[in-house]
Amino acid sequence: MSLVTTTEMFEKAYNGGYAIGAFNVNNMEIVQGITEACGELDAPVILQVSKGARAYANHTYLVKLVEAAIAENPNIPIALHLDHGDTFELCKDCIDGGFTSVMIDASSKSFEDNIALTKQVVDYAHANGVVVEAELGTLAGVEDEVSVEAGKESYTKPEEVQEFVERTGCDSLAIAIGTSHGAYKFTPEQCHRDENGKLVPPPLRFDVLEECIKRLPGFPIVLHGSSSVPQEFVEMVNAYGGQMPNAIGIPEEQLREAAKLAVCKINIDSDIRLAMTGNIRKHFAEHPDHFDPRQYLKPARQAVKDMVAHKIVNVLGCDGKAKDLSVR
């Protein structure tokens, strides 16, 4: 099997009430952990590469790692996606370089400028058999090349989505309904504490999502900044020398509810980073004599695999769905 686009993935996900996981990749261990979990659970997957990942690992290395994953997991559909492309030139480079999907993020621009840049990317991508994700609304938080100061985020305006999609021709749309990039998605002041003293974030704006669905029936919606920041890994990081106070994410039950609606793609990155880092810190603390990268990257890779398997079954609901796709 070769790389596929997300077109059929999203059609089946929309009608089936589940979402496809879009996991950011930066190195071999992350690619292996993700795709091994997907292979064992028969789940389609989107491997996404950010501008920062390309700068860190090099475009060619990342593409070849994904090609190796396809060879090792021939029965699952895999799409290769550019996450948060910020220029036409970057999107074009990825399209020309073998990606099957790109995101052009012009959400920080005016409505008209967002449309103009998105349409430019769409025209080039479609001419080359590649699909395009766009964004309306802006998420707070920091992750890789994306940084929006708290208080300057903005929810998607449902009254704009239909015109935007019609004028740009984009294939999916990322919307802002209260998710946020990074591991520090909310300040303690934005949350309340439950009876056990645990910070509880504000709920997602399902009213915004539902209004977008009404205006874009059958159209795939994307959620960025959807890591749940599992507290067991935050505690693991902190127990072994880390400093991550008040790290908090999106409750998984809310993401599962969104996946039952029109959300066909859910982006997850920080949870993978936390699982890897927590296990590496733990390994160093328990084995101070170890210096072989294979010794500490092996449990880190397993932590990625376990994390992705959990997300597939309990959040995305896409386990067993690869067999339903003709591109299998």
Side-chain angles (χ1 to χ4, degrees):
M1 177 184 284
S2 58
L3 285 167
V4 303
T5 71
T6 56
T7 301
E8 188 185 10
M9 285 187 188
F10 288 170
E11 180 183 354
K12 293 292 177 63
Y14 192 103
N15 294 326
Y18 62 90
I20 309 296
F23 301 97
N24 287 70
V25 297
N26 299 279
N27 62 15
M28 182 185 75
E29 287 76 16
I30 294 175
V31 172
Q32 289 175 324
I34 293 168
T35 54
E36 286 175 13
C38 292
E40 291 180 10
L41 290 169
D42 194 41
V45 67
I46 301 165
L47 301 179
Q48 57 185 28
V49 172
S50 67
K51 181 179 178 181
R54 289 177 87 239
Y56 168 75
N58 180 286
H59 175 103
T60 303
Y61 280 102
L62 290 168
V63 170
K64 294 303 180 183
L65 285 171
V66 173
E67 289 176 357
I70 293 170
E72 291 296 315
N73 300 275
N75 294 322
I76 59 169
I78 299 176
L80 179 56
H81 175 74
L82 170 65
D83 188 28
H84 286 289
D86 56 357
T87 65
F88 171 78
E89 290 74 20
L90 174 56
C91 292
K92 180 180 183 299
D93 197 35
C94 289
I95 293 166
D96 294 343
F99 283 49
T100 55
S101 175
V102 296
M103 179 201 185
I104 178 63
D105 182 1
S107 59
S108 62
K109 300 181 182 296
S110 70
F111 184 68
E112 289 297 328
D113 287 346
N114 190 347
I115 287 175
L117 180 52
T118 299
K119 188 175 188 310
Q120 183 185 15
V121 172
V122 167
D123 289 345
Y124 187 81
H126 285 182
N128 288 275
V130 172
V131 295
V132 178
E133 174 188 326
E135 181 167 350
L136 269 179
T138 53
L139 277 64
V142 178
E143 192 165 357
D144 265 22
E145 300 289 323
V146 181
S147 179
V148 177
E149 185 180 340
K152 294 188 177 180
E153 70 275 18
S154 62
Y155 292 115
T156 299
K157 299 175 182 177
E159 63 271 18
E160 294 181 342
V161 297
Q162 183 177 358
E163 179 184 358
F164 183 87
V165 169
E166 289 176 350
R167 290 177 61 185
T168 63
C170 65
D171 302 284
S172 61
L173 185 66
I175 65 171
I177 62 170
T179 57
S180 178
H181 290 118
Y184 300 93
K185 299 183 184 299
F186 308 98
T187 65
E189 291 73 25
Q190 292 175 293
C191 306
H192 72 273
R193 293 189 182 272
D194 64 15
E195 62 276 8
N196 298 315
K198 177 183 175 183
L199 285 172
V200 179
L204 297 180
R205 290 287 303 273
F206 279 93
D207 58 324
V208 173
L209 172 59
E210 289 166 357
E211 188 59 34
C212 289
I213 294 171
K214 289 179 184 177
R215 294 169 185 264
L216 292 173
F219 193 80
I221 301 297
V222 175
L223 285 187
H224 285 243
S226 297
S227 284
S228 298
V229 191
Q231 291 304 295
E232 72 240 49
F233 291 111
V234 174
E235 292 168 5
M236 184 185 293
V237 168
N238 291 337
Y240 294 101
Q243 295 182 8
M244 296 190 67
N246 298 322
I248 187 170
I250 309 298
E252 290 186 338
E253 61 271 18
Q254 293 190 38
L255 296 172
R256 184 70 194 97
E257 188 62 30
K260 292 177 182 178
L261 300 172
V263 173
C264 298
K265 174 176 178 276
I266 293 179
N267 288 17
I268 299 168
D269 185 12
S270 294
D271 288 354
I272 288 176
R273 299 182 185 193
L274 282 168
M276 287 194 78
T277 300
N279 276 274
I280 289 171
R281 283 185 174 277
K282 182 174 185 287
H283 187 94
F284 281 143
E286 295 177 346
H287 305 279
D289 57 320
H290 283 184
F291 62 92
D292 185 340
R294 293 171 295 183
Q295 293 172 310
Y296 55 85
L297 288 177
K298 185 176 180 179
R301 178 175 58 193
Q302 184 63 46
V304 172
K305 181 178 178 179
D306 293 344
M307 174 66 72
V308 171
H310 167 77
K311 296 293 184 181
I312 288 170
V313 174
N314 297 291
V315 179
L316 303 163
C318 62
D319 49 310
K321 303 302 183 182
K323 65 179 180 296
D324 298 333
L325 298 170
S326 63
V327 293
R328 179 187 172 99

